Amino acid sequence: MREHQLKIHNTLSRKKESFEPIKAPFVGMYVCGPTVYGDAHLGHARPAVTFDTVYRYLNHLGYKVRYVRNITDVGHLTGDADEGEDKIAKKAKLEQLEPMEVAQQYTDTYHRDMDLLNTIKPSIEPRATGHIPEQIALVQAILEEGLAYEVNGSVYFDVLKYNEKERYGKLSGRVLEELMAGTRDLDGQGEKRNQVDFALWKKAAPEHLMKWDSPWGLGFPGWHLECTAMSSKYLGKHFDIHGGGMDLMFPHHECEIAQGNACNHQDPAKYWMHNNMITINGQKMGKSLGNFITLQELFTGSHQLLEQAYSPMTIRYFMLTAHYRSTLDFSNEALKAAQKGYKKIINGLRIAKKLEYFADVDVALDEEQIKQVESSIQQAYRAMDDDFNTAQAIGHLFNLLKKINSLYTGQLKPGHFGEEVFQKLISTFIVFVEKILGLKDEKPETQEALIEVLLQLYGEAKTARNYNRVDEIRAALKEMGYVVKDMKDKIDWAYEE
C-alpha cells in the first residue's frame, strides 16, 4: 500500500479521520442503492459515481474491498414514511404490471445507465425481497431486546426507550426532544406509541400486492430494516464504510444505527460518508419544478432545459470536478465547460498511450521539469488521500497534461526527465484517468480505422497540394467531432474541444 495516509470525513464524528480498516487489508463498504420504480436520474448518478471512485481508489491503494450496494424492491413507501403505498406497488398498479416486473425493468435500466457512467459493478448486489427471513429475524431480535413493540400485526421501533441508553440523532445531529415537539400535534393518532417511532414490519392490507408471512401475520419489511439485514449479512455486524446521499442521513441512516445498536450492541459502520445534493440551475431537482432530469434525457438531450446532449463521460467528469461533499449545480454552461475539460483529458490520454521512451544522449536532464512532474504526482495523490478530493486531483492532472502535450509537440524530450520520471509521468496520468477517476474514450472502436484512413488521404492530398481535397477531409473530420493536427513530423487528430 502507498505510504500516504488516507483521511475520510466521517459524518458521525463530523471531522476527517485517518482511515484504519477494522481488519486490514480487507475493507467492507455498504452503499444504499436505488429504489427501482422509475428511470435513474441525477440523484442516482452522484452517489454511484462517488462511491465507485472510492472503491477504485481503495483498490488502487491495495485494499481488498467487498463493495455491497443493495436494490430496494419492497418496503419503501411514498414520502419515505411509515404509512401509504409502496413506491413499486404504486407504479405496478399504474402500469398494470406485477410489482416484480416493475422492479426488474428499472433494475435493468439502472444497470444500463451505471454501465454507461463506467461504474464498476459492486461485489454483491442484494435485493430486499431476497432477504425477508433475515429481516424477520432482526425484528425478533429487537423485540427480544425490549426495544420494539407489536401493534395489530405491525412492529415499531421504540425510539424513546432506545434513547435511554443510546443517543438517537447522533449521526444527523437531530435532538430527540425537538423531534418530539415537532410531532406533538400528531400524538394519539395512529398505532405508534410516539410519532418518532419507525416501522420494522408493517401489516399488509388485503389489497397490498407484496406481502410475506411472519410471526405477526402477513406483512412487509420497513425500508430502514432492509439495509441493516443485508449489510450485516454480507459485511458483519460492524464494518468499515457506509455510504449514501446526504438525503438518506435522516431518517434512513439514523434508523440503521439505532437498529444496529439494538440488536448487535454496536454501530453498524466505523466511517459514514455522505455525498452532497445536486441542483439544477440553482434549484433543487423536483418533478413539480419541471427540472427533473433522468440520465437518459441527459445523454440524449431530450429534456426541455437542455441545450444539447451530454455524454455519460461528460457527466462523470463533471461530477468529479467537485468534491463529493459539495453541492453540485447542473447547468448548460457548466456541462459545456465539463465537456471541454473531459475532451482535453481524453486527448491527453491518447497522446500518453502513444508516447514511448527513447534514450537521447544529446538531451540533458532538466531538473526543474523533473521537480514539477514529481510535485504534480505527489499533489494528485495527496488530493485523493484528503477525503477523495477528485476536484483538486484533476487540477494536478492538468499540470501533468501540459508536460505530456509538450513532449508530443517536441518542446520537451523524454530525456529531459530521464527514463524513470518519464515513465512515472505517463503511467500516473493513465492510471489516474482510467483506473482511479474511471474516465474512458467514448469514441466507437469502428471509427478509429476510419479516422486513420481519412488522415492518410489527408496526407496524400496535402503532399499533392490538392487543397480542395484537404479542406473536404478536414471538414468531414470536424463534422465527426475531430480536428486535424498538422505537425512538423506527423499528422494526427484530436477531439474538438
Side-chain angles (χ1 to χ4, degrees):
M1 294 181 194
R2 297 190 65 86
E3 60 187 23
H4 305 298
Q5 178 57 64
L6 175 62
K7 290 185 179 293
I8 294 178
H9 184 274
N10 191 349
T11 308
L12 194 60
S13 65
R14 291 164 181 76
K15 63 183 181 182
K16 289 180 188 175
E17 299 177 7
S18 294
F19 180 59
E20 297 175 358
I22 298 165
K23 294 181 180 178
F26 301 99
V27 173
M29 181 170 76
Y30 186 89
V31 177
C32 291
T35 300
V36 283
Y37 69 102
D39 288 320
H41 51 73
L42 285 171
H44 294 119
R46 193 167 196 198
V49 170
T50 294
F51 292 102
D52 177 67
T53 308
V54 170
Y55 183 39
R56 286 170 177 275
Y57 192 60
L58 290 173
N59 281 324
H60 177 69
L61 293 182
Y63 292 109
K64 300 181 185 301
V65 187
R66 176 178 287 177
Y67 173 20
V68 182
R69 184 184 67 204
N70 73 297
I71 295 288
T72 294
D73 56 359
V74 69
H76 194 173
L77 305 187
T78 53
D80 298 350
D82 286 335
E83 305 295 335
E85 284 191 276
D86 181 289
K87 290 184 175 184
I88 292 170
K90 183 178 180 181
K91 185 77 168 181
K93 287 178 183 176
L94 286 172
E95 299 190 4
Q96 295 185 312
L97 297 170
E98 282 291 328
M100 285 299 101
E101 283 184 277
V102 171
Q104 189 62 53
Q105 175 186 338
Y106 291 114
T107 298
D108 290 345
T109 57
Y110 175 79
H111 286 152
R112 173 201 64 196
D113 292 344
M114 294 308 105
D115 287 345
L116 290 171
L117 288 170
N118 202 31
T119 63
I120 300 171
K121 289 178 172 58
S123 315
I124 303 172
E125 192 174 52
R127 295 187 182 215
T129 53
H131 297 77
I132 299 298
E134 290 88 346
Q135 294 174 76
I136 290 174
L138 275 178
V139 177
Q140 290 175 314
I142 296 172
L143 279 166
E144 288 169 8
E145 292 288 339
L147 294 173
Y149 55 92
E150 186 262 337
V151 182
N152 300 325
S154 293
V155 182
Y156 296 96
F157 191 94
D158 193 331
V159 171
L160 267 67
K161 193 165 185 182
Y162 167 80
N163 201 61
E164 292 173 4
K165 293 184 178 179
E166 297 285 343
R167 184 191 158 204
Y168 182 79
K170 65 180 182 179
L171 179 70
S172 61
R174 307 289 179 102
V175 178
L176 184 57
E177 289 75 17
E178 292 177 2
L179 291 171
M180 293 286 290
T183 59
R184 192 167 291 156
D185 59 327
L186 298 174
D187 284 353
Q189 297 180 26
E191 55 192 20
K192 297 180 185 180
R193 291 177 184 171
N194 293 284
Q195 286 302 310
V196 290
D197 295 347
F198 57 89
L200 298 172
W201 186 266
K202 284 290 292 180
K203 179 182 179 179
E207 68 275 11
H208 200 89
L209 295 174
M210 292 188 282
K211 49 197 171 191
W212 291 264
D213 197 14
S214 78
W216 317 284
L218 285 175
F220 55 93
W223 173 38
H224 313 307
L225 187 71
E226 301 169 1
C227 288
T228 298
M230 292 184 281
S231 63
S232 59
K233 177 170 183 174
Y234 296 110
L235 298 175
K237 295 176 180 179
H238 186 57
F239 52 91
D240 296 292
I241 299 172
H242 194 311
M246 192 174 285
D247 56 323
L248 297 178
M249 192 188 307
F250 187 88
H252 187 53
H253 290 164
E254 199 72 71
C255 293
E256 279 191 65
I257 287 178
Q259 290 165 167
N261 275 289
C263 58
N264 299 325
H265 308 290
Q266 56 188 322
D267 283 353
K270 185 175 181 181
Y271 305 93
W272 288 80
M273 296 178 65
H274 292 91
N275 63 273
N276 211 323
M277 310 307 293
I278 59 140
T279 55
I280 312 290
N281 297 321
Q283 286 186 307
K284 184 178 179 181
M285 186 173 71
K287 289 182 179 178
S288 61
L289 296 171
N291 65 353
F292 184 86
I293 304 178
T294 68
L295 292 176
Q296 282 298 311
E297 286 172 331
L298 265 173
F299 300 158
T300 60
S302 58
H303 194 279
Q304 60 183 1
L305 292 178
L306 300 173
E307 295 176 5
Q308 63 175 71
Y310 299 99
S311 75
M313 286 299 96
T314 296
I315 301 304
R316 182 178 181 108
Y317 175 84
F318 178 55
M319 289 183 173
L320 294 172
T321 58
H323 191 274
Y324 75 89
R325 288 193 297 111
S326 302
T327 304
L328 184 60
D329 186 53
F330 277 76
S331 67
N332 283 288
E333 293 73 23
L335 286 168
K336 286 174 185 176
Q339 187 176 56
K340 288 185 178 181
Y342 160 70
K343 288 181 177 179
K344 281 188 171 78
I345 288 285
I346 295 303
N347 281 332
L349 182 65
R350 284 189 61 251
I351 293 170
K353 288 185 173 182
K354 281 188 170 188
L355 289 171
E356 294 180 0
Y357 177 74
F358 60 92
D360 191 337
V361 294
D362 296 328
V363 179
L365 291 175
D366 188 325
E367 296 297 335
E368 184 59 31
Q369 296 292 344
I370 291 171
K371 190 185 299 182
Q372 289 173 4
V373 167
E374 290 184 330
S375 174
S376 292
I377 291 172
Q378 289 172 6
Q379 292 299 324
Y381 274 107
R382 282 176 188 163
M384 291 302 295
D385 289 337
D386 185 14
D387 195 29
F388 308 97
N389 196 328
T390 54
Q392 287 187 7
I394 286 172
H396 297 300
L397 282 189
F398 272 107
N399 289 333
L400 294 179
L401 180 55
K402 290 175 186 176
K403 305 299 181 191
I404 290 170
N405 285 333
S406 295
L407 282 162
Y408 195 53
T409 58
Q411 292 173 278
L412 289 172
K413 301 288 185 185
H416 281 130
F417 303 102
E419 182 173 1
E420 182 182 347
V421 175
F422 173 76
Q423 292 296 346
K424 193 189 292 185
L425 163 64
I426 300 302
S427 64
T428 300
F429 187 83
I430 293 172
V431 164
F432 257 85
V433 172
E434 292 187 321
K435 302 297 184 184
I436 297 174
L437 299 179
L439 298 170
K440 65 178 183 178
D441 191 338
E442 291 180 305
K443 174 178 63 356
E445 290 182 10
T446 53
Q447 281 195 7
E448 186 76 44
L450 175 60
I451 294 169
E452 293 303 324
V453 168
L454 287 173
L455 284 185
Q456 185 177 344
L457 294 173
Y458 178 90
E460 291 170 359
K462 192 175 177 184
T463 301
R465 297 187 178 182
N466 184 350
Y467 296 119
N468 287 334
R469 186 66 170 152
V470 166
D471 291 342
E472 287 174 0
I473 296 170
R474 187 184 288 275
L477 283 164
K478 187 171 184 179
E479 185 70 23
M480 294 166 65
Y482 312 117
V483 292
V484 177
K485 296 286 187 179
D486 279 304
M487 287 174 274
K488 290 181 181 179
D489 57 343
K490 55 183 171 283
I491 298 170
D492 201 359
W493 65 272
Y495 287 103
E496 186 175 25
E497 296 170 7

